[in-house]
Amino acid sequence: AVAHGGGDGGGGDRGGGARSVDRRVVRGPARFIPTADEWCHEFSWSGVPKDGSKTTVQPNANKFKKLSVIPTSMYHNVSEVRTNDDTLITVKLMLFFQLDSIEKMLACTNDPIADFVNAASADVIAFCSGLNYENFLTLTGELNKLETFSQLTTRAHMIGYTISKVVFRGFQAGEKLQAMHDEAIQERTRLRLLEETQEQQQRAEDMKLEGERRRAKMQAELEMEQHRLKTELSLTAQQASIKEQKLIQAAKNELEALQHEADLKQQKAAAAVNMEVFGRTRLIAVVVFRVLSHATPFLDRLASRPVFQFPSLFRRHGCAALSLHYRSIAPFWLVFSLPSLFPAALLVRTCSF
């Protein structure tokens, strides 16, 4: 920033009351040599002291003539912040910002860093004043959001800057409270590790039980499959045996049927033969009966001979009986029946000679 002095009286000194000062901005990179009536503006901002910490800000500690317009950041610790339960803590922040308008910055502020520090401290104090220590521990993530730093973003916009991000770097309490807090953290960590260890052990037991359950299920399924196969084999064997028995029974029935058919055929053949013999015998009996009926005198004469003897020759109710004796040997006799009274039959009784 270059200031140019000019007025009615002339002269190069800066002390004239009637003189006016104009300001212009020279942007680099460039080589700049001011004229006799120009001088460079010197910035005197709050900054980190040479022998201090980077989180400490001291007024007028940063003096320079060349203004950097690239995005930059700064550390800031808000000390002695009191919660609503009277706990003093130090909140550690990191601010990221960028210069947007040099003219607005030159017109609205002499020390933007001090403005940032004051606005960020006001936002942190307003945030912690409504919380107790336990609630603050659970809501520290809110300090990473720009919505929490409304005063900081508003002030930055007014002086030509943009706050791009705010990072919460942690906090620090008093020594005693910090010691208690550290012990609590250690205890919580120990309990959490113990809980995780127990959860891992439980998961291992669950995995073991699940494996045993799957193994038992597979074993039961295998046994059921084996039992099913045995049942199917037994059923197949029984079906084969029943089928074989049916085939044997069918063959036996067929054989019996063939045997019965053969017997029937044999009986029919025998009956046919008997009928034929019966017919012939009947015819012979009729012929003999007729012959005997007409040969009675001849038989009477024949009975008187010594070779054949006819002890009896009679007819009764249409029947004729003839008893023949050869010498003194047992007789043989014939009985003839008339076809009109009985079925034709011939009964021949013989004895060996």
Side-chain angles (χ1 to χ4, degrees):
V2 179
H4 172 74
D8 296 334
D13 59 350
R14 306 178 187 177
R19 295 177 180 271
S20 64
V21 179
D22 297 330
R23 181 172 56 203
R24 64 187 179 94
V25 177
V26 179
R27 300 180 181 272
R31 177 179 294 178
F32 173 72
I33 299 175
T35 61
D37 56 349
E38 291 181 339
W39 67 92
C40 294
H41 177 77
E42 183 177 8
F43 297 93
S44 180
W45 290 359
S46 299
V48 178
K50 296 182 179 180
D51 55 350
S53 173
K54 62 181 180 179
T55 60
T56 304
V57 177
Q58 181 179 355
N60 301 320
N62 185 15
K63 296 181 179 182
F64 57 92
K65 291 183 178 181
K66 296 179 183 179
L67 178 64
S68 176
V69 295
I70 62 175
T72 184
S73 62
M74 62 172 292
Y75 292 94
H76 175 50
N77 291 350
V78 184
S79 304
E80 297 182 355
V81 180
R82 188 179 298 272
T83 61
N84 60 6
D85 56 353
D86 293 332
T87 301
L88 293 176
I89 57 176
T90 298
V91 179
K92 301 177 181 181
L93 301 176
M94 187 172 185
L95 309 179
F96 293 84
F97 53 90
Q98 180 178 359
L99 179 60
D100 294 332
S101 175
I102 299 176
E103 290 77 7
K104 184 183 288 188
M105 184 269 297
L106 292 174
C108 297
T109 182
N110 292 323
D111 190 354
I113 302 301
D115 294 342
F116 294 157
V117 169
N118 295 331
S121 299
D123 287 329
V124 171
I125 293 172
F127 175 79
C128 295
S129 62
L131 302 174
N132 57 26
Y133 184 71
E134 294 296 330
N135 292 335
F136 172 78
L137 295 179
T138 59
L139 296 176
T140 53
E142 298 295 325
L143 294 175
N144 288 313
K145 300 179 180 179
L146 287 177
E147 292 79 3
T148 306
F149 299 91
S150 60
Q151 300 183 55
L152 175 62
T153 55
T154 302
R155 181 58 183 169
H157 179 70
M158 291 175 60
I159 63 177
Y161 277 84
T162 299
I163 302 297
S164 59
K165 183 168 57 175
V166 177
V167 177
F168 173 68
R169 299 186 297 112
F171 70 97
Q172 184 176 2
E175 295 182 358
K176 293 183 179 180
L177 183 61
Q178 188 65 35
M180 296 172 59
H181 181 61
D182 293 340
E183 292 178 359
I185 292 175
Q186 292 178 1
E187 183 65 19
R188 285 197 299 269
T189 304
R190 186 184 67 82
L191 293 177
R192 186 172 63 252
L193 293 176
L194 180 61
E195 182 180 0
E196 292 177 356
T197 302
Q198 292 180 354
E199 288 180 356
Q200 291 179 358
Q201 292 177 356
Q202 293 296 328
R203 285 196 296 269
E205 291 293 332
D206 293 341
M207 292 176 60
K208 183 178 179 181
L209 292 176
E210 183 66 20
E212 292 178 355
R213 186 185 67 81
R214 289 198 301 268
R215 194 177 299 109
K217 183 178 179 180
M218 293 174 62
Q219 184 69 24
E221 291 178 353
L222 180 60
E223 292 178 357
M224 290 178 63
E225 184 68 17
Q226 292 178 352
H227 180 69
R228 186 181 64 80
L229 292 176
K230 289 182 180 179
T231 304
E232 290 181 356
L233 291 175
S234 177
L235 181 61
T236 304
Q238 291 179 1
Q239 291 177 353
S241 177
I242 293 173
K243 187 175 181 180
E244 183 180 1
Q245 291 178 1
K246 288 182 178 179
L247 291 175
I248 294 174
Q249 186 66 30
K252 185 176 180 181
N253 293 335
E254 186 177 359
L255 181 62
E256 289 179 356
L258 292 176
Q259 185 67 32
H260 181 67
E261 186 177 357
D263 293 341
L264 289 177
K265 289 182 179 180
Q266 187 176 0
Q267 290 178 3
K268 288 181 179 180
V273 172
N274 292 332
M275 290 297 296
E276 185 178 359
V277 172
F278 174 72
R280 292 179 180 180
T281 305
R282 180 181 178 184
L283 181 60
I284 293 172
V286 171
V287 173
V288 171
F289 177 75
R290 289 180 179 179
V291 170
L292 290 177
S293 298
H294 294 85
T296 301
F298 174 75
L299 293 176
D300 291 338
R301 291 194 302 269
L302 186 62
S304 62
R305 295 183 181 181
V307 179
F308 294 97
Q309 296 181 3
F310 300 93
S312 62
L313 179 62
F314 63 91
R315 286 180 292 177
R316 182 186 300 171
H317 302 293
C319 296
L322 175 62
S323 178
L324 301 177
H325 292 267
Y326 179 75
R327 298 179 185 276
S328 299
I329 303 174
F332 65 94
W333 50 271
L334 298 174
V335 177
F336 303 97
S337 64
L338 292 177
S340 60
L341 297 177
F342 304 99
L346 174 63
L347 177 62
V348 180
R349 180 183 176 185
T350 62
C351 295
S352 59
F353 293 96

